[in-house]
Amino acid sequence: MNASTITLHVPQRSKIAGRMDFFQMASGVLLILFLWAHMLLVSSVILSPSLMNGIAWFFEATYMAQIGGPAIFVLMVVHFILAARKMPFKQDEWKTFRVHARMLQHKDTTMWLVQVISAILILVLGAVHMFVVLTDLPITAAKSAARIQSGWLYLYLVLLPMAELHVGVGFYRIGVKYGFVGRSKRKWFQKTENVMMIGFITIGLLTLVRFMLLNIQG
Amino acid sequence: MNRMLTLNIFRYNPLDPDSTPRMQTFTVQEYDSMTLFIALTQIRDEKDPTLKVDFCCRAGICGSCAMVINGRPGLACHTQTKDLPAEITLHPLPFFQLLGDLSVDTGSWFRKTGLQIEAWCHSDDKAFDPTAEEMRMDNDLANEIFELDRCIECGCCMAACGTARMRTDFLGAVSIMRVARFYLDPRDKRSEDDYYEVIGNDQGVFGCMGLLACEDVCPKGIPLQDQLGIMRRMMAMHSVKGVLPRPLIETIKKKGCCHAHAQS
């Protein structure tokens, strides 16, 4: 028996803090890669609905949608729980940070608040989106278009910018927090990330427009 | 054309039960190359000698005159009034204990934290021999360590840190950079395990949220976030030894900014 299992007076050497931080970062990276790939694959409908259908068929034939979909949901929840350790859930923490951000008028400090709010919205709206899509397989362009045209557009108009914003800011922050991006490259990295963020939001909006205009009768 | 400056200054004496926090306005005639420190000295000399402001060196070396200048932590002696608007609002640094008006006690916090991170060379408790020749060190390495030793402990980074404001037990960029300084020093015999025990937790490197304000306000321009990043990466990789394959750990350790003259 280890002494620290019977008393808290003996500090225990534990690597759990580092591991949780690493897996928060790693799950974030995986979700970023997933979201970018997801956006590009769904936007194939802009080129041709049958191309999107073909891609969707491939992912279902290989069971990647059936297994990968729920796995991504689990990854999202795990990432949320790990990252939520830093969130200002206590009222005084929230107030302190708000007052601080207002005082400092500092972009990266304010963007963290945006990340906190977007995280909660993504968790809720993303879960709804995943449930609706994964319980109505197979995915087809016609079914997606019917959903968008029947009022779900508003959900995506919130989810799309929130997800891209969260991913963009998170991507930049991982680079900074882990020192992958040093001081000399930080400005360039932020600019690149902003361009990518605007690019993905534009692709997403074009995809939504395409779904709105798609003829679902024939 | 020199302006008439309006300074709105926070006034409060926490030791006086009759004192209530308030803002007091003073006007000062600006002149060429005037610093905020000079403006404050003028107010103390000519208008209100009870105004509490810390200062010592007047040259950005002692770090005493740090305060919040129009929302941003900075040194009064390092700030020229020509770089500010005509209306200037001054607050004491948050995070530290208020002594009165613009004066805060940074020293107690730095001493407590210095002890917590054991900010000294751990040389296997060998007895110091004053007659022995000093250990030789590569010049480039000495310069790299010196770069991190330039910190004047003004406390601006802590006051600008959103994490430290929310969680007062956070060690902050200054302490982690101090640990990085010893991590680089070949005279310090601490192992990665020892360093992990000191900063490998949410009060240390893993608490940082990458808000970057510490580095953006540092009056000495020290690359704080780079040091936080390096130490976080080293500590995180240390924690996943045995979980991830060794080549991957070594690759991640060398990605991005690194200590150029690290021993290991």
Side-chain angles (χ1 to χ4, degrees):
Chain A
M1 185 186 283
N2 184 325
S4 53
T5 57
I6 48 170
T7 172
L8 292 173
H9 296 287
V10 181
Q12 190 177 26
R13 286 195 172 200
S14 161
K15 289 183 173 168
I16 192 73
R19 287 178 185 173
M20 285 205 287
D21 194 69
F22 177 77
F23 288 113
Q24 179 188 330
M25 186 269 284
S27 57
V29 169
L30 289 174
L31 287 167
I32 289 169
L33 294 175
F34 163 76
L35 206 77
W36 285 345
H38 173 277
M39 194 81 261
L40 291 174
L41 293 174
V42 176
S43 68
S44 62
V45 74
I46 301 171
L47 299 175
S48 149
S50 43
L51 177 62
M52 184 192 151
N53 289 340
I55 293 170
W57 172 84
F58 169 76
F59 279 102
E60 278 149 35
T62 52
Y63 288 92
M64 279 161 83
Q66 293 89 327
I67 298 165
I72 290 291
F73 176 73
V74 171
L75 193 64
M76 182 176 80
V77 174
V78 169
H79 178 73
F80 180 84
I81 292 169
L82 289 173
R85 294 173 301 139
K86 308 282 166 64
M87 280 189 180
F89 284 123
K90 288 182 191 160
Q91 192 271 337
D92 61 333
E93 288 178 341
W94 172 254
K95 190 180 162 203
T96 304
F97 201 92
R98 279 280 312 277
V99 168
H100 176 71
R102 210 178 309 139
M103 174 196 95
L104 206 60
Q105 300 290 320
H106 178 255
K107 189 175 67 187
D108 289 307
T109 301
T110 310
M111 286 313 277
W112 186 76
L113 273 185
V114 173
Q115 232 180 339
V116 167
I117 295 163
S118 59
I120 295 167
L121 285 170
I122 295 165
L123 184 73
V124 176
L125 300 181
V128 171
H129 162 69
M130 283 173 158
F131 180 80
V132 168
V133 172
L134 294 173
T135 52
D136 191 23
L137 291 176
I139 299 167
T140 65
K143 269 158 71 177
S144 299
R147 199 165 50 244
I148 299 292
Q149 290 174 26
S150 65
W152 285 78
L153 174 70
Y154 302 105
L155 180 140
Y156 292 106
L157 283 178
V158 179
L159 181 58
L160 168 71
M162 285 299 124
E164 291 304 336
L165 201 62
H166 189 86
V167 158
V169 178
F171 181 50
Y172 169 69
R173 219 179 278 285
I174 286 172
V176 167
K177 280 201 301 192
Y178 267 75
F180 295 131
V181 182
R183 176 190 262 186
S184 56
K185 289 193 181 139
R186 219 166 279 154
K187 275 216 158 63
W188 167 85
F189 187 54
Q190 196 165 39
K191 206 182 273 178
T192 310
E193 167 249 301
N194 285 342
V195 169
M196 284 176 77
M197 198 154 65
I198 293 166
F200 276 111
I201 292 177
T202 309
I203 292 172
L205 288 174
L206 287 174
T207 307
L208 287 175
V209 170
R210 184 74 185 95
F211 278 135
M212 283 299 283
L213 299 177
L214 200 72
N215 181 11
I216 51 175
Q217 304 305 323
Chain B
M1 183 66 186
N2 290 331
R3 305 169 295 175
M4 184 61 84
L5 300 175
T6 305
L7 282 86
N8 301 311
I9 301 178
F10 177 84
R11 303 298 306 267
Y12 177 52
N13 181 1
L15 298 176
D16 177 4
D18 297 328
S19 171
T20 49
R22 68 185 199 284
M23 299 302 287
Q24 189 174 359
T25 304
F26 298 93
T27 50
V28 174
Q29 179 68 48
E30 186 183 33
Y31 60 79
D32 289 342
S33 68
M34 184 185 225
T35 64
L36 197 53
F37 164 75
I38 294 173
L40 287 167
T41 310
Q42 210 165 306
I43 291 171
R44 276 160 55 103
D45 287 349
E46 297 168 9
K47 297 183 174 165
D48 189 348
T50 67
L51 178 66
K52 293 190 181 75
V53 187
D54 289 329
F55 65 94
C56 184
C57 74
R58 297 164 292 165
I61 299 166
C62 73
S64 306
C65 63
M67 59 186 69
V68 178
I69 307 158
N70 284 347
R72 285 237 162 181
L75 297 180
C77 70
H78 227 233
T79 308
Q80 297 224 324
T81 53
K82 71 177 169 60
D83 297 329
L84 297 170
E87 187 158 344
I88 302 165
T89 304
L90 302 176
H91 283 97
L93 286 187
F95 184 75
F96 299 101
Q97 193 197 343
L98 180 70
L99 297 175
D101 302 337
L102 299 174
S103 168
V104 294
D105 174 18
T106 52
S108 299
W109 184 84
F110 275 103
R111 173 154 182 82
K112 176 181 78 82
T113 315
L115 287 171
Q116 197 179 334
I117 59 171
E118 304 191 356
W120 56 86
C121 265
H122 289 52
S123 50
D124 296 340
D125 292 331
K126 266 190 290 187
F128 177 65
D129 177 5
T131 59
E133 196 179 326
E134 209 173 310
M135 182 188 168
R136 286 178 187 272
M137 188 187 287
D138 178 56
N139 202 42
D140 291 332
L141 172 62
N143 279 335
E144 199 176 356
I145 293 173
F146 178 70
E147 172 69 5
L148 308 185
D149 258 344
R150 289 195 302 112
C151 174
I152 54 171
E153 300 193 345
C154 60
C156 286
C157 57
M158 295 310 295
C161 175
T163 313
R165 294 290 306 274
M166 276 199 301
R167 293 167 189 126
T168 50
D169 58 352
F170 180 51
L171 290 170
V174 61
S175 317
I176 291 157
M177 184 205 53
R178 193 104 185 102
V179 172
R181 178 245 173 276
F182 290 104
Y183 187 77
L184 262 174
D185 197 324
R187 292 167 298 181
D188 194 303
K189 302 296 179 204
R190 279 183 276 187
S191 65
E192 281 218 323
D193 246 340
D194 297 330
Y195 284 115
Y196 188 88
E197 200 179 349
V198 175
I199 55 167
N201 47 48
D202 285 342
Q203 289 75 47
V205 270
F206 304 127
C208 170
M209 304 193 298
L211 304 175
L212 282 159
C214 53
E215 183 165 319
D216 290 345
V217 302
C218 176
K220 305 306 280 184
I222 298 171
L224 293 167
Q225 189 67 50
D226 284 0
Q227 294 306 316
L228 274 165
I230 295 170
M231 293 313 289
R232 186 186 207 129
R233 205 164 71 238
M234 295 304 147
M235 294 299 109
M237 289 304 105
H238 179 68
S239 76
V240 292
K241 274 181 189 161
V243 179
L244 293 187
R246 186 179 282 271
L248 181 62
I249 291 179
E250 290 307 316
T251 309
I252 295 175
K253 269 187 172 181
K254 290 181 187 124
K255 272 267 173 284
C257 51
C258 295
H259 288 142
H261 304 93
Q263 300 299 295
S264 53

